[in-house]
Amino acid sequence: MPRKGEYLYCFTVPKELRDFRNWGEKTYGDLVKEKANFTETVCVWQAPSKDKDGNLEKDFYIAGFRGVELDFSVNISEAEKMILLLGPNKPPFEYIANLQKIVQTNYSENVSLILDQDFLTTNWQPSLLDNNNAISNFILSQLALTDQVVLIGPPGTGKTYQIAEICKRLCRQGKSVLVTSLTNRALIEVIEKPALENMLDEGKVFKTKISTDEAKEFPRLEQTKEVNPQPGNLVLSTFFIASSEAVNLTDKPPFDYVIVDEASQALLAMFGAAKLLGNKNIWIGDTKQLPPVVAINEDKVSKKNYDILVDGLKALSDTSSVPIFQLTETYRLPNRGSDYTGLFYNNSLKSKAKTDIRLSFPELPNDVNVFFNPQGGSTLIKTDLEVGNKKPKNALEIAKLLVAHLLTVNENLHISVLSNYIDTVKALQKSIYGSIDDPKNLLIETVARIQGLTTDITIFVIPNSGYNHSLEKRLFNVATSRAKRHTIIISDKNIISSYPHLDEDVKMYLQKLNDEYSFYYTTEKKLIESKTIEPKATQFEEKPEGQSGLKVLGKIDLSKFEKPKKEIIKGKENLYIIDTNVFVDCPEIISKIDKQYQVILSAKVIDELDYLKISLTEDQRKNVQKAIKHINESFDKRNIKMDTADLALLPNDFNKKSPDNFILSVALRYKSENPIMLTSDNGLQIKAKGLEITTITLKEFLNQRKY
């Protein structure tokens, strides 16, 4: 199943392949090659499907998607018996093929300017810019002296804002401008900026492949099927489509200016494509954030020197052959946040974030509020994490605790919970989504999928496994620079000392944070402040209060943040009455009910189970025998009571000989203590609900228990 918030590649296949029985030995890759129409789409919700009786289906889910392109939407709405295929949102093969053609057959002077360099790494220092420079004017003045410039934009420095301002100024001058980016999302962020509002009104903003949602949100946005320049107009297109246009060029560049957004995500050859498309180029990105993702082993990339071809912006920046400028004012990060993130940018970042943003949460309990530094920025929470375990129990508990607390304070907070491993993310999703109802602005995702994201609070979970990945410099920078208020890092207590190959900047970040604002969460769920000492293996268990620089802050109670079970009512005993059919399907059902709740067994259920031993299939008989054995054992282990029917409690219209009604009458005897009828029988459920008895099906109960 696709994850909520996951972007996917969606395509159709020719008529002859719409019946999966005709696929034969075809792989997913084979089907992609034979695709008819395609679109990018994003999963916005998912839910289990239900059968006609309202019971949850085991094998089917319903999912909702948005972001489908207009042309694709028309195509599938007109087709019969259409089958849609969903897969990873990887760059189309055509994109790579286009870039290959550009460097081989279109080996023009413009392309050679990109490819024929020495690529000798130099210790370059970009020229620093602040807003006193009137940045858009400054960049354009530089382009009067050269054909291309690089603009480095650290997190929150307003890269997209500057792109929109530059586009507005150039189009006012009657220039033709193309903005190209890896993702459709980045292009939409440009359109959203106020600088382009008048141009939208005037019908001067064009985009390839407009989606149904974009058409609704931006009704004045013009669609174009081709990347055609017009004086005074702006065209937006992804790398994939722009590269197709570049392949077919035989003459001089058609656009006056090409702006490459998300330039750190561009392969080297894409910069060649940009030179073919525009007389002047502006490359805007961040060499300290994630490079392009390629399906090649990292060791192979390094050994073959492919890193130059893959990490195009860094390769060009390192040669110092292009004028490079860097923005220095971040509007996202508070002062402490910019100080820490600034470690990756030679301490050049200054915070221009709003000073009235709320950074403290006094409503939180003291043992949780302490994590949130009054000045904002990062916090390190250390705990004991098992080596190699990508689903670390302590880290999951802490993350769930923090999210639950924060959403009780403000349900509108934008919170991201991040990790570098899919297994960790799935475990976090199961733990947190299962305990919190309808988290509106909560995203739980891998770091690789969220570059460009801005949140209020980020929780970064680092399992004690594969530190070479989790602590990779650029990935770590992305994970820890998303939040406007706080970044909480959850890791093993020995994270700094246990990985000898730690990048110097990452090491400096973690060491500084360890010394300045860190805590230790013990296996006994005690919270210890530890601002000066890196914990050793048993240090805290032996004498936590006696250590210099340590302070016991108290024991954390997680139980009150568990998702309440829908059938449980506070202030009531909450007795479970179990129907016969439940024992047949789940013989050990009693062991799955929390011991704090009493189980009442109707004598009729015991009688029915004993009778059913001779009237069911072999497998069912085995289940019944197991159930009877388990009931017998449970009488000795927990609070179980058998009770007989009281038919006088039933309404006069009810059949007094019905076994279901015998069981129902037992529930009616305990009505003041919220008896919970555990049954999958629709008829019994209706009767129980009509008599204001709480009901839950076996599927609902087991599904709820998973969390």
Side-chain angles (χ1 to χ4, degrees):
M1 279 296 296
R3 303 194 303 276
K4 185 179 177 181
E6 181 178 7
Y7 281 81
L8 296 159
Y9 186 64
C10 179
F11 61 97
T12 65
V13 290
K15 285 184 178 180
E16 63 270 18
L17 293 176
R18 289 180 187 173
D19 187 339
F20 70 89
R21 290 170 293 187
N22 296 333
W23 291 359
E25 299 297 319
K26 291 183 183 293
T27 65
Y28 173 75
D30 295 330
L31 293 170
V32 171
K33 290 177 183 177
E34 297 192 49
K35 66 182 184 296
N37 294 277
F38 64 93
T39 182
E40 180 188 71
T41 186
V42 59
C43 179
V44 290
W45 60 267
Q46 57 174 250
S49 66
K50 294 182 178 180
D51 61 22
K52 60 182 181 180
D53 297 320
N55 299 316
L56 295 178
E57 293 276 7
K58 183 174 71 173
D59 300 321
F60 297 93
Y61 262 70
I62 302 172
F65 298 87
R66 63 182 300 176
V68 174
E69 292 166 13
L70 276 172
D71 293 345
F72 186 87
S73 173
V74 172
N75 177 263
I76 62 174
S77 64
E78 294 176 348
E80 295 182 2
K81 298 181 179 179
M82 178 64 72
I83 182 170
L84 301 181
L85 288 87
L86 295 165
N89 191 30
K90 297 178 179 178
F93 172 79
E94 295 88 344
Y95 173 52
I96 305 302
N98 289 337
L99 296 184
Q100 186 178 13
K101 290 177 184 176
I102 286 168
V103 301
Q104 289 181 341
T105 53
N106 282 5
Y107 204 76
S108 67
E109 182 181 351
N110 282 332
V111 176
S112 66
L113 287 172
I114 301 298
L115 300 180
D116 292 347
Q117 302 192 52
D118 292 333
F119 294 109
L120 298 174
T121 301
T122 59
N123 186 24
W124 65 275
Q125 293 289 333
S127 302
L128 303 181
L129 301 176
D130 58 34
N131 274 349
N132 293 329
N133 295 99
I135 291 167
S136 58
N137 285 337
F138 176 81
I139 294 297
L140 293 180
S141 69
Q142 292 299 306
L143 283 169
L145 308 173
T146 183
D147 288 341
Q148 59 272 326
V149 297
V150 173
L151 182 61
I152 302 295
T157 51
K159 295 187 291 293
T160 308
Y161 173 86
Q162 297 300 340
I163 290 172
E165 287 290 329
I166 291 170
C167 290
K168 180 180 73 173
R169 293 178 185 276
L170 288 172
C171 289
R172 279 180 177 173
Q173 297 171 17
K175 305 297 184 183
S176 58
V177 183
L178 168 67
V179 175
T180 183
S181 173
L182 178 71
T183 66
N184 201 53
R185 284 164 282 167
L187 300 176
I188 293 301
E189 287 178 8
V190 174
I191 296 170
E192 290 173 336
K193 298 303 175 186
L196 298 183
E197 189 172 348
N198 288 338
M199 288 184 61
L200 281 167
D201 289 339
E202 296 165 4
K204 293 185 174 183
V205 182
F206 295 79
K207 183 177 177 294
T208 57
K209 290 189 175 292
I210 296 177
S211 74
T212 53
D213 300 282
E214 293 162 7
K216 192 179 294 182
E217 188 175 356
F218 306 101
R220 296 163 296 172
L221 180 62
E222 302 286 340
Q223 177 161 294
T224 178
K225 298 214 181 249
E226 297 179 353
V227 184
N228 290 326
Q230 292 292 332
N233 287 352
L234 171 63
V235 179
L236 302 107
S237 184
T238 62
F239 289 169
F240 318 142
I241 298 171
S243 65
S244 296
E245 184 70 21
V247 165
N248 298 316
L249 290 175
T250 57
D251 205 351
K252 62 180 183 179
F255 285 88
D256 296 317
Y257 289 82
V258 170
I259 300 173
V260 180
D261 190 14
E262 296 187 326
S264 54
Q265 296 284 306
L267 301 170
L268 182 65
M270 187 61 211
F271 293 95
K275 290 292 293 176
L276 290 172
L277 288 164
N279 286 303
K280 302 278 186 177
N281 276 206
I282 308 172
W283 304 329
I284 303 179
D286 185 359
T287 56
K288 304 295 184 180
Q289 296 193 55
L290 294 177
V293 178
V294 294
I296 305 176
N297 182 278
E298 289 183 13
D299 291 336
K300 188 175 182 180
V301 170
S302 181
K303 287 177 182 177
K304 299 284 188 179
N305 286 327
Y306 290 162
D307 49 341
I308 292 172
L309 301 174
V310 171
D311 203 347
L313 185 64
K314 188 175 186 301
L316 292 169
S317 299
D318 284 351
T319 65
S320 294
S321 62
V322 182
I324 303 172
F325 305 94
Q326 181 198 305
L327 302 172
T328 59
E329 297 178 339
T330 175
Y331 298 87
R332 176 192 303 162
L333 304 172
N335 282 320
R336 276 192 74 248
S338 67
D339 287 345
Y340 276 91
T341 297
L343 294 171
F344 299 107
Y345 301 91
N346 297 322
N347 297 305
S348 60
L349 281 188
K350 295 174 288 186
S351 176
K352 291 289 184 177
K354 293 180 180 178
T355 55
D356 60 347
I357 192 167
R358 187 181 181 193
L359 297 173
S360 60
F361 302 99
E363 306 94 327
L364 295 175
N366 290 335
D367 55 8
V368 177
N369 184 46
V370 71
F371 293 138
F372 301 97
N373 191 301
Q375 296 177 314
S378 296
T379 302
L380 178 61
I381 303 177
K382 298 169 289 189
T383 187
D384 299 272
L385 300 182
E386 182 184 350
V387 177
N389 185 2
K390 293 180 181 176
K391 302 177 182 179
K393 182 180 177 183
N394 275 2
L396 298 179
E397 279 188 349
I398 297 168
K400 182 167 73 171
L401 168 77
L402 292 173
V403 172
H405 270 298
L406 288 166
L407 292 179
T408 59
V409 171
N410 183 355
E411 65 177 9
N412 295 317
L413 281 172
H414 286 260
I415 303 171
S416 65
V417 184
L418 308 176
S419 185
N420 289 320
Y421 293 101
I422 292 176
D423 287 348
T424 312
V425 167
K426 287 182 176 178
L428 286 163
Q429 289 174 334
K430 183 176 179 180
S431 174
I432 298 173
Y433 285 144
S435 61
I436 299 170
D437 286 320
D438 192 26
K440 297 177 183 176
N441 300 310
L442 174 63
L443 176 68
I444 306 174
E445 215 13 301
T446 58
V447 179
R449 292 179 178 271
I450 54 82
Q451 184 160 292
L453 178 74
T454 298
T455 66
D456 290 309
I457 295 167
T458 294
I459 300 168
F460 182 31
V461 177
I462 305 175
N464 192 359
S465 175
Y467 280 148
N468 61 319
H469 185 43
S470 292
L471 300 179
E472 193 278 324
K473 179 177 178 177
R474 294 163 74 168
L475 197 147
F476 185 90
N477 180 31
V478 170
T480 56
S481 60
R482 303 300 96 201
K484 295 188 289 185
R485 306 190 195 191
H486 300 273
T487 297
I488 310 294
I489 301 171
I490 305 172
S491 73
D492 183 72
K493 64 186 179 185
N494 296 311
I495 186 172
I496 299 173
S497 58
S498 61
Y499 184 52
H501 307 295
L502 197 59
D503 176 88
E504 284 301 313
D505 288 339
V506 177
K507 185 176 183 178
M508 191 184 304
Y509 187 114
L510 288 172
Q511 190 62 64
K512 179 182 178 183
L513 191 54
N514 184 65
D515 296 342
E516 181 193 277
Y517 209 72
S518 64
F519 302 86
Y520 177 56
Y521 176 88
T522 73
T523 51
E524 292 80 24
K525 297 181 175 55
K526 289 182 179 178
L527 184 65
I528 299 170
E529 190 173 17
S530 64
K531 296 184 181 178
T532 59
I533 298 178
E534 173 70 8
K536 306 298 180 186
T538 59
Q539 180 177 355
F540 294 99
E541 288 83 350
E542 292 175 355
K543 47 180 183 178
E545 294 181 79
Q547 290 285 352
S548 174
L550 305 180
K551 179 183 177 184
V552 179
L553 300 177
K555 190 164 183 175
I556 297 178
D557 180 16
L558 297 172
S559 62
K560 57 185 175 181
F561 300 103
E562 298 294 329
K563 182 178 181 179
K565 294 181 174 64
K566 77 169 202 175
E567 73 274 17
I568 304 297
I569 297 177
K570 290 183 179 179
K572 303 282 187 178
E573 286 192 35
N574 299 295
L575 315 168
Y576 279 88
I577 316 290
I578 307 174
D579 193 11
T580 310
N581 58 57
V582 174
F583 283 109
V584 175
D585 294 329
C586 185
E588 298 181 345
I589 182 64
I590 293 175
S591 66
K592 301 181 185 298
I593 297 172
D594 293 345
K595 287 186 178 181
Q596 69 190 88
Y597 305 119
Q598 187 177 19
V599 174
I600 307 293
L601 291 176
S602 166
K604 176 57 72 174
V605 169
I606 305 297
D607 187 56
E608 283 192 308
L609 287 173
D610 198 46
Y611 173 76
L612 286 171
K613 285 191 299 185
I614 59 173
S615 62
L616 298 175
T617 65
E618 184 177 349
D619 288 341
Q620 289 174 323
R621 282 200 301 273
K622 288 180 180 178
N623 276 0
V624 169
Q625 289 169 349
K626 286 181 187 177
I628 292 173
K629 181 182 178 182
H630 189 67
I631 291 170
N632 187 36
E633 293 171 348
S634 298
F635 268 103
D636 301 324
K637 295 179 180 179
R638 57 177 295 163
N639 186 15
I640 295 179
K641 179 181 178 183
M642 188 176 75
D643 213 334
T644 57
D646 185 352
L647 301 179
L649 297 173
L650 294 169
N652 291 332
D653 294 343
F654 279 38
N655 183 352
K656 303 300 191 290
K657 295 182 180 180
S658 166
D660 284 353
N661 292 341
F662 275 60
I663 301 168
L664 186 60
S665 75
V666 173
L668 287 169
R669 178 176 288 151
Y670 296 91
K671 191 172 180 181
S672 64
E673 294 302 333
N674 187 39
I676 301 159
M677 182 66 69
L678 181 51
T679 178
S680 299
D681 185 316
N682 287 310
L684 184 54
Q685 286 183 54
I686 293 170
K687 290 186 228 180
K689 289 175 181 177
L691 295 172
E692 298 181 341
I693 302 290
T694 302
T695 69
I696 188 169
T697 67
L698 178 61
K699 283 185 178 181
E700 289 172 330
F701 180 85
L702 295 177
N703 189 54
Q704 193 168 253
R705 189 175 177 273
K706 286 192 293 185
Y707 302 113

